[in-house]
């Protein structure tokens, strides 16, 4: 029962953050949104002119930041927050792409499914690093590093597949 509750918990974080990102897009000026999106994923603004290194680095930075926050007792609450920030950026960038007239087929085959899976993988990574309050155990138990490595490898494979599809078919 509690294992299925954790997936529900992560999907609620994902959905609320995504919707918050789309609402944030409506409130911010377009120039500000473009500056934010160029930092995190230039492909959203620049399209096929974007370079590969900066978006990959920004995506992997979220994983590294979550791992760094989990190492210290007083910053562990920021781990799930890091995953939620990535989901907010997913919502902002999705709203920007749809507002700028991206073809719905490209959006449905490339952007939305891969970003959704990458955001969920990041949230799952964060949940393995610092389990939600209803999954915490008493005593000193070590973290399951095999689960952490498995989620990280799946996330890297998703990122590679998404960038391959972008640069081969969309660009």
């Amino acid at each position: 029962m509690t294992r299925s509750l954790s997936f529900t918990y992560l999907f609620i974080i994902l959905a609320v953050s995504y919707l918050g990102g789309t609402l944030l897009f409506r409130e911010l000026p377009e120039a500000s949104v473009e500056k934010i999106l160029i930092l995190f994923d230039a492909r959203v603004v620049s399209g096929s002119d974007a370079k590969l290194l900066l978006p990959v680095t920004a995506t992997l930075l979220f994983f590294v930041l979550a791992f760094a926050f989990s190492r210290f007792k007083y910053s562990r609450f920021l781990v799930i927050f890091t995953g939620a920030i990535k989901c907010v950026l997913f919502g902002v960038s999705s709203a920007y792409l749809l507002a700028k007239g991206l073809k719905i087929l490209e959006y449905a085959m490339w952007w939305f499914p891969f970003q959704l899976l990458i955001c969920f993988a990041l949230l799952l990574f964060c949940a393995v690093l610092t389990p939600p309050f209803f999954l915490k155990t008493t005593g000193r138990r070590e973290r399951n590093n095999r689960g952490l490595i498995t989620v990280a490898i799946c996330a890297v494979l998703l990122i590679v597949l998404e960038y391959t599809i972008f640069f081969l078919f969309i660009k």
Side-chain angles (χ1 to χ4, degrees), residues 7 19 22-23 36 39 41 54 58-59 64 66 84 91 97 112 114 121 140 144 154 170:
F7 282 107
L19 290 174
T22 57
L23 293 174
I36 292 169
L39 283 174
D41 200 346
L54 189 60
T59 303
V64 171
L97 283 171
F112 187 81
F114 283 104
R140 290 185 58 87
N144 182 3
C154 289
I170 306 300

Side-chain angles (χ1 to χ4, degrees), residues 131-142:
F133 62 93
F134 51 84
L135 289 179
K136 290 188 179 175
T137 58
T138 57
R140 290 185 58 87
R141 294 186 68 194
E142 292 295 319

Side-chain angles (χ1 to χ4, degrees), residues 152-170:
I153 289 172
C154 289
V156 167
L157 290 175
L158 281 170
I159 292 167
V160 167
L161 185 62
E162 190 241 342
Y163 282 92
T164 303
I165 288 174
F166 175 76
F167 284 106
L168 290 179
F169 299 113
I170 306 300

Side-chain angles (χ1 to χ4, degrees), residues 37-83:
L37 293 178
I38 284 175
L39 283 174
F40 291 104
D41 200 346
R43 298 172 302 164
V44 175
V45 177
S46 304
S48 60
D49 298 332
K51 303 287 188 257
L52 174 69
L53 187 60
L54 189 60
V56 169
T57 305
T59 303
L60 293 177
L61 181 68
F62 281 105
F63 286 90
V64 171
L65 198 59
F67 186 76
F69 284 146
S70 75
R71 302 308 296 170
F72 304 105
K73 182 179 180 180
Y74 295 110
S75 64
R76 285 194 182 134
F77 69 95
L78 293 172
V79 174
I80 290 289
F81 185 71
T82 303

